[in-house]
Amino acid sequence: MAEFDTIIIGAGPGGYVAAIRAAQLGQKVACVEGRETLGGTCLNVGCIPSKALLHATHLLHETHENFEKMGLMGAPPTVDWAKMQAYKADVVTGNTKGIEFLFKKNKVTWLKGWASIPAPGQVKVGDEVHSAKNIVIATGSEASSLPGVTVDEETIVTSTGALTLAKPPKSMVVIGAGVIGLEMGSVYARLGTQVTVVEYLDAITPGMDAEVAKSFQRILSKQGLKFVLGAAVQSVTKGKTGATVTWKLKKNDSEASLDADIVLLATGRKPYTSGLGLEVLGVETGPRGTIKTDDHFQTNIPGLYAIGDAVAGPMLAHKAEDEGMAVAEILSGKHGHVNYNVIPGVIYTTPEVASVGKTEEQLKEDGRAYKVGKFPFMGNARAKAIFQAEGFVKLLADKETDRILGCHIIGPGAGDLIHEVCVAMEFGASAQDLALTCHAHPTYSEAVREAALACGDGAIHA
Ligand code: NAI
């Protein structure tokens, strides 16, 4: 039986970051992971492999759509699916090995296997029981299914199966117009698949600024994705080949169905905590099985902590990482802190979509007096040069104080652009602070500055 200061269960972005930080702060740390490789869902079957496929298929799309316009002649490339899969696997391996290296460098012990918590202060892995002053649960989440739908990860798939299909299908029905549905839907639409997205709500990407969501849907439709909105899926039945999805339109109760080679279930995720023994320990849980914690990530059991997708809040890798860092600092006698008001969200389609802070709808609901500074990428020289001038930057600021309250971007590099607004918000900056900051020309970031200018005396290029 080995003794540790802290044992972290799960080596995803929450867990591995917590482990590294705690070790850096002088603790004797172990991290339990049952997968063959470190990095959790994000590195193995989530964020990273999907970005590889998004990148490859984006380039393919460029060759079809824009190469000729730039005088780049010749037949567009054909797809070697096995090679694309191998490239994706290499990207994953490079990253998971990187975490292994960081564990060694920081002297974090990797306990290989699946953990349970037989008693407070104890973690069982295989036949061995280890003890620790503190235990952190960072076990992440799993895809949630629909009632009566059986996922086989071949024909009816979650995001995991969607990353490793035998071949790009002719047709695909995506259930759920959230982040996973639209990212993976984009990948296959660019590979020539007829993609139909069936969504329960009347708009795509729930919670996103409505103006951005509308623009996003229009752009994706132009890229060939079809949308059925306001549709409650009734059943998914597997046939000899493919599957049939049946839905009911909420507005008139009419039923319709569609056959497709592949059905992707992308209707959200739920905490993954089975096998830990939380019920026996008496750990309190909340809605959808999230583990309840206090402001310091401690559960109702002293010495037992939880972070990431297993607790409340957005299921995002970077939110988990921030919580991982904060919990490690708290357990090392420091003041770990996460600012939940400034957590960006990014969708890695083309164009990218990114947001931080309040949406206009939320500000209206809060009855807050605000102003809007909007700037279209049509006025941005760099965006026009790469045929991506369709989107815009929308900055929301307090009407009286000019303090930045939120930002919503659809356009090139949105996922990177959003971070200057995040930093500004962390510093409590005003829109004028952004507007007075020199931005290099020609960059996409000028559009953010112009949106800030639009909150004051007006943008220059609109
Ligand atoms: P999501 O919560 O983003 O979207 C699920 C969608 O499914 C919603 O629009 C919902 O209204 C719809 N839906 C639910 N039940 C339905 C039904 N019966 N019929 C039709 N539509 C239905 O969930 P998603 O896309 O599965 O992603 C899971 C989590 O992973 C999210 O928290 C997401 O933020 C995270 N994620 C983040 C990524 C990123 O940051 N780029 C990438 C992938 C996932």
Side-chain angles (χ1 to χ4, degrees):
M1 172 159 156
E3 273 184 39
F4 294 92
D5 293 319
T6 300
I7 297 180
I8 291 142
I9 305 176
Y16 83 68
V17 167
I20 291 170
R21 177 54 103 225
Q24 286 172 338
L25 294 174
Q27 295 199 40
K28 188 180 174 198
V29 182
C31 186
V32 192
E33 176 54 60
R35 266 182 217 271
E36 291 300 311
T37 48
L38 300 172
T41 299
C42 173
L43 270 70
N44 288 284
V45 288
C47 327
I48 301 305
S50 63
K51 258 79 272 174
L53 291 184
L54 278 159
H55 175 65
T57 57
H58 165 66
L59 293 181
L60 178 69
H61 185 254
E62 284 291 286
T63 63
H64 284 283
E65 290 295 309
N66 296 323
F67 267 35
E68 244 185 77
K69 294 180 201 161
M70 296 183 283
L72 297 170
M73 312 310 283
T78 52
V79 174
D80 183 326
W81 185 238
K83 272 199 173 157
M84 198 182 280
Q85 287 284 322
Y87 147 69
K88 183 199 71 182
D90 280 351
V91 172
V92 168
T93 306
N95 281 283
T96 56
K97 287 275 174 222
I99 309 299
E100 223 174 303
F101 163 77
L102 291 174
F103 269 17
K104 283 193 187 121
K105 183 180 160 197
N106 289 286
K107 301 191 174 51
V108 172
T109 305
W110 174 7
L111 299 172
K112 294 184 188 179
W114 301 102
S116 61
I117 310 169
Q122 293 188 355
V123 175
K124 189 167 181 234
V125 186
D127 294 331
E128 287 192 31
V129 178
H130 307 269
S131 71
K133 291 187 198 105
N134 298 298
I135 298 168
V136 180
I137 300 169
T139 47
S141 59
E142 61 182 339
S144 54
S145 186
L146 289 176
V149 178
T150 313
V151 171
D152 63 5
E153 295 295 13
E154 280 178 8
T155 304
I156 303 173
V157 299
T158 66
S159 54
T160 304
L163 290 165
T164 50
L165 295 181
K167 57 176 196 247
K170 282 206 170 62
S171 57
M172 174 183 261
V173 170
V174 175
I175 307 178
V179 190
I180 291 179
L182 299 182
E183 286 187 356
M184 292 314 297
S186 282
V187 162
Y188 286 103
R190 292 171 195 165
L191 288 166
T193 304
Q194 176 58 62
V195 176
T196 306
V197 183
V198 183
E199 164 61 46
Y200 181 78
L201 298 172
D202 295 322
I204 67 168
T205 54
M208 181 185 282
D209 188 274
E211 225 177 325
V212 174
K214 213 168 144 197
S215 186
F216 190 27
Q217 190 188 334
R218 191 176 43 76
I219 293 170
L220 289 176
S221 299
K222 275 213 282 189
Q223 292 176 8
L225 279 86
K226 290 204 167 104
F227 291 94
V228 182
L229 302 181
V233 169
Q234 305 294 300
S235 65
V236 182
T237 345
K238 203 175 156 182
K240 270 206 185 112
T241 59
T244 306
V245 180
T246 307
W247 61 84
K248 204 179 240 185
L249 282 185
K250 286 191 292 172
K251 63 177 179 202
N252 56 13
D253 265 358
S254 65
E255 255 192 25
S257 62
L258 190 62
D259 297 335
D261 294 337
I262 298 289
V263 175
L264 166 60
L265 259 176
T267 52
R269 298 179 64 85
K270 58 177 189 223
Y272 176 66
T273 56
S274 56
L276 290 174
L278 299 188
E279 305 79 10
V280 178
L281 276 175
V283 175
E284 278 179 26
T285 53
R288 294 178 299 113
T290 48
I291 299 173
K292 278 193 186 168
T293 59
D294 64 14
D295 289 348
H296 288 87
F297 309 103
Q298 188 161 217
T299 67
N300 60 317
I301 310 290
L304 183 62
Y305 296 76
I307 58 166
D309 283 10
V311 303
M315 288 184 164
L316 296 170
H318 44 282
K319 175 259 194 187
E321 287 185 43
D322 280 23
E323 289 180 342
M325 223 156 9
V327 78
E329 282 163 9
I330 290 167
L331 294 178
S332 309
K334 297 177 81 125
H335 299 283
H337 172 71
V338 178
N339 181 359
Y340 290 99
N341 295 320
V342 186
I343 294 181
V346 180
I347 309 180
Y348 299 86
T349 43
T350 304
E352 287 185 351
V353 181
S355 67
V356 65
K358 301 273 188 190
T359 62
E360 203 174 344
E361 290 72 36
Q362 284 171 330
L363 292 175
K364 276 189 188 139
E365 212 176 291
D366 295 349
R368 184 119 184 214
Y370 65 92
K371 53 188 172 176
V372 182
K374 231 177 112 181
F375 185 78
F377 278 100
M378 200 53 97
N380 181 276
R382 189 74 184 282
K384 281 205 284 207
I386 63 152
F387 314 104
Q388 280 197 46
E390 277 184 301
F392 57 87
V393 179
K394 177 174 175 179
L395 195 74
L396 301 164
D398 188 281
K399 196 163 188 174
E400 294 299 316
T401 64
D402 197 37
R403 193 181 173 125
I404 301 167
L405 301 173
C407 184
H408 308 277
I409 308 177
I410 175 163
D416 289 297
L417 296 184
I418 199 71
H419 293 95
E420 73 165 294
V421 184
C422 295
V423 174
M425 286 177 74
E426 279 286 349
F427 280 82
S430 63
Q432 195 184 29
D433 289 327
L434 268 191
L436 290 175
T437 304
C438 184
H439 285 62
H441 176 74
T443 59
Y444 311 128
S445 72
E446 287 173 284
V448 177
R449 184 200 200 171
E450 291 269 22
L453 282 165
C455 280
D457 294 333
I460 301 295
H461 296 89

